[in-house]
Amino acid sequence: MTSQRTRERLIQRIRDMGVRNPLVLEAMRNTPRHIFVDEALASRAYEDTALPIGHGQTISQPYTVARMTEALLAGGVLDTVLEIGTGSGYQCAILSQLARRVYSIERISALLEAARTRFRELGLRNIHLKHSDGGVGLPEYAPFDGILVTAAPEGIPPALLEQLKIGGRLVLPAKVRGGQVLLRITSTPQGYDQEQLETANFVPLVGGVL
Ligand code: SAM
């Protein structure tokens, strides 16, 4: 089920759905998604679907991971990136191949430690993890070239906007009229430019730590 052919079919699907950045497709191709889910779900790891990872959380759909990553990249590889919501660590592993350094925050310590073990197994050494409430970002390492939020906040957290470099991008799901949309906000010398990308369906960003 995790044959090269099965994995390649997923990359082709993501391409067909409109993700064309070769760096993103290559990072997706290089990342073994079955490592990031429970063994019982490994045979479904290369389906284009979100899967449960315990604690009421999910590993995001591969297309969504690819789309958000593409939206975050301005051109080439980034310097520093912050992810809010480490979860399984899959999105973080993709980012780690496209940025010099990735910081990732998770509120559930059991998920964070499982992700840490996976990064060690995969030899990913440019990831810095933090157990905390990501709504306040990571001011001690700001500003960032990119911030990617993988849980849906109520509104746009001002702390995250403040932690962007000029030219930096914040990609996040935002609640609108009972649904969610994926937003990309770019910090400019004049203020913030906002683009609506597509509909989204993320678990909520929750305050506090577990
Ligand atoms: N990026 C993840 C992956 O690739 O597996 C998907 C994560 S899941 C859709 C969202 C994650 O955000 C969950 O692990 C959840 O615990 C975490 N989360 C929710 N609210 C948070 C907060 N305030 N701070 C940090 N993490 C949070």
Side-chain angles (χ1 to χ4, degrees), residues 57-124:
Q57 305 302 323
T58 52
I59 180 173
S60 306
Q61 179 190 359
Y63 164 72
T64 305
V65 170
R67 181 73 181 96
M68 289 179 85
T69 307
E70 184 173 63
L72 196 73
L73 296 186
V77 168
L78 299 173
D79 189 40
T80 54
V81 168
L82 172 66
E83 180 196 26
I84 312 296
T86 317
S88 69
Y90 178 66
Q91 169 78 75
C92 192
I94 302 285
L95 292 172
S96 79
Q97 298 164 64
L98 300 165
R100 184 183 61 80
R101 190 127 180 87
V102 180
Y103 299 86
S104 185
I105 304 177
E106 172 57 55
R107 65 182 286 272
I108 301 176
S109 68
L111 291 178
L112 193 77
E113 292 315 317
R116 196 189 300 286
T117 303
R118 293 179 182 121
F119 298 149
R120 203 175 300 127
E121 279 168 15
L122 292 171
L124 301 176

Side-chain angles (χ1 to χ4, degrees), residues 25-75:
L25 295 172
E26 193 52 25
M28 300 287 295
R29 187 177 281 117
N30 289 341
T31 308
R33 190 168 183 252
H34 62 277
I35 304 284
F36 293 86
V37 296
D38 198 81
E39 244 178 83
L41 290 170
S43 63
R44 300 190 56 201
Y46 298 93
E47 291 175 16
D48 190 26
T49 180
L51 293 168
I53 55 171
H55 307 271
Q57 305 302 323
T58 52
I59 180 173
S60 306
Q61 179 190 359
Y63 164 72
T64 305
V65 170
R67 181 73 181 96
M68 289 179 85
T69 307
E70 184 173 63
L72 196 73
L73 296 186

